[in-house]
Amino acid sequence: MKKITLFFLFNIGLLIVASAQSYQLDKTIALPGNGGYDYVFIDQANHQLYASHGSAVNVVDLQTEKITGTISGMKGVHGIAIANNLNRGFITDGKANAIVVFDTKTLQIIKTIPVTGKGPDGIIYDPFSKKVFAFEGDSNSAVVIDPQDLKQTGTIDLGGGPEFAVADGKGLIYNNLEDKSSLNVIDAKTLKVIKNYPLNPCGGPTGLALDKEHQRLFTVCRQNKGMSVIDAASGKVIQTLPIGAGVDAVIYDAVNKLVIASNGDGTASVFKQNTPDSYELIQTLKTQNRAKTMAMDAATHKLYFPVADFQQGTKTQVPDSFKLSVYTLK
């Protein structure tokens, strides 16, 4: 009887493992141009993906997965943010110390806004304050842009070098400080840092994501190769899990209760959220070396990783090899 019970439980376990969802490579989408690459952003309302690439941003229609245009003529692009209520997009041109504004319908540049400080990098649109926040890695600050009047209206002293940021939609913005291994809480109304959370054991935080329902933040860190789960209200680090090397981005899939970290070592760490305070690794997805950022289409749950090929053993890109690697949840 004991043998039959063990056999039954073993096979049930195999069935559970076999039926668990996992990401698989679906296709690659070739993108034009050469140069470095950084953030990738999805405008969910319009099914558009924006991939920063050297001095341009490539635009892909997610319904056809075909490139629909390129926004070019910049010096060194990083992040992209969209204000759908205005049909306007905003690009950080780090080398020009400017924010480039474009029309999301025509992809034509409307205006280039010079900003104070240096090296605008990450950028978000906050629907609560109806402001754009651009984070300057070289100036330890953030600049605030009025998306209606298209001008800088404020500056926030961050006290450290900023990385990714997320807005909670209720007036708070969370932002990692990579060099301080801490996380800022910014009041979008007063434009001031109101709290700073130490992230120990996290070291060198980059990507940041938010579970709005349960108020849990997910921060990924390069120094300790870890993903930390943080209580957004108290700043308490609840759990830290190992991930791959060279991490840059992290996303939270609220429907499937998954947290995914994209590591530059050619892997992505996929965690299952069992409860708001309990997570387990369910897949180490093989991607491509230097595929360090990503975005998820909330409609299809596909993952899109911008990446280029490199000559073996070097940091030299293979010409015309830039692409999106697309992974499907099955």
Side-chain angles (χ1 to χ4, degrees):
M1 186 70 177
K2 188 178 290 185
K3 287 184 178 180
I4 294 173
T5 302
L6 289 172
F7 178 80
F8 176 76
L9 291 173
F10 177 75
N11 281 279
I12 287 294
L14 287 178
L15 181 63
I16 291 170
V17 171
S19 63
Q21 287 181 303
S22 63
Y23 279 100
Q24 298 177 27
L25 180 64
D26 181 18
K27 62 171 71 76
T28 59
I29 303 170
L31 298 179
N34 294 290
Y37 52 93
D38 199 357
Y39 292 85
V40 58
F41 177 83
I42 290 177
D43 173 6
Q44 206 64 59
N46 294 305
H47 308 287
Q48 296 272 59
L49 177 146
Y50 298 87
S52 65
H53 186 206
S55 60
V57 171
N58 301 132
V59 187
V60 174
D61 183 334
L62 291 177
Q63 293 180 313
T64 63
E65 294 189 323
K66 304 289 185 184
I67 187 165
T68 57
T70 298
I71 306 163
S72 57
M74 294 166 281
K75 293 184 178 180
V77 302
H78 292 284
I80 305 102
I82 303 294
N84 280 312
N85 57 318
L86 299 170
N87 295 321
R88 288 175 177 173
F90 301 82
I91 302 167
T92 49
D93 190 350
K95 290 185 178 180
N97 297 320
I99 308 299
V100 176
V101 188
F102 67 94
D103 186 307
T104 58
K105 301 299 183 184
T106 66
L107 303 183
Q108 297 301 305
I109 292 176
I110 300 169
K111 186 177 182 179
T112 297
I113 306 170
V115 294
T116 57
K118 294 181 179 180
D121 188 358
I123 187 169
I124 63 170
Y125 172 70
D126 174 37
F128 178 86
S129 62
K130 295 182 172 57
K131 295 287 191 292
V132 173
F133 294 79
F135 296 84
E136 299 178 316
D138 295 338
S139 295
N140 295 347
S141 61
V143 293
V144 185
I145 303 295
D146 185 321
Q148 181 73 54
D149 295 338
L150 300 183
K151 61 183 181 182
Q152 181 179 335
T153 58
T155 303
I156 305 170
D157 181 6
L158 299 175
E163 260 289 342
F164 282 70
V166 293
D168 72 351
K170 297 179 180 179
L172 295 180
I173 295 169
Y174 301 94
N175 173 233
N176 278 336
L177 297 182
E178 187 174 20
D179 58 339
K180 303 296 184 182
S181 296
S182 66
L183 185 148
N184 276 339
V185 184
I186 301 166
D187 187 318
K189 282 188 174 180
T190 63
L191 304 183
K192 294 184 181 299
V193 175
I194 56 174
K195 295 177 185 176
N196 178 265
Y197 298 145
L199 294 178
N200 185 55
C202 168
T206 55
L208 187 65
L210 173 65
D211 171 1
K212 292 183 180 180
E213 180 183 358
H214 302 109
Q215 287 296 288
R216 294 293 181 266
L217 290 157
F218 309 101
T219 187
V220 288
C221 304
R222 290 181 179 175
Q223 290 177 17
N224 68 319
K225 300 177 186 177
M227 182 194 80
S228 291
V229 182
I230 301 148
D231 183 325
S234 67
K236 178 184 177 182
V237 177
I238 295 166
Q239 188 176 5
T240 299
L241 302 109
I243 59 174
V247 68
D248 206 354
V250 62
I251 61 172
Y252 174 65
D253 181 345
V255 173
N256 292 299
K257 305 298 181 186
L258 299 176
V259 188
I260 304 113
S262 54
N263 311 312
D265 64 0
T267 67
S269 305
V270 184
F271 298 94
K272 181 69 175 180
Q273 182 186 54
N274 296 318
T275 73
D277 293 340
S278 175
Y279 301 78
E280 64 173 327
L281 180 71
I282 61 169
Q283 183 183 9
T284 299
L285 176 64
K286 181 175 174 52
T287 57
Q288 183 174 326
N289 197 36
R290 295 190 174 95
K292 61 188 179 69
T293 59
M294 65 181 163
M296 184 191 75
D297 183 349
T300 63
H301 304 280
K302 288 183 178 181
L303 299 177
Y304 295 83
F305 294 79
V307 70
D309 297 333
F310 289 79
Q311 295 178 14
Q312 190 172 2
T314 75
K315 295 183 179 180
T316 304
Q317 279 191 33
V318 175
D320 302 316
S321 66
F322 188 53
K323 60 195 170 188
L324 293 171
S325 294
V326 186
Y327 291 81
T328 302
L329 187 62
K330 296 183 177 181

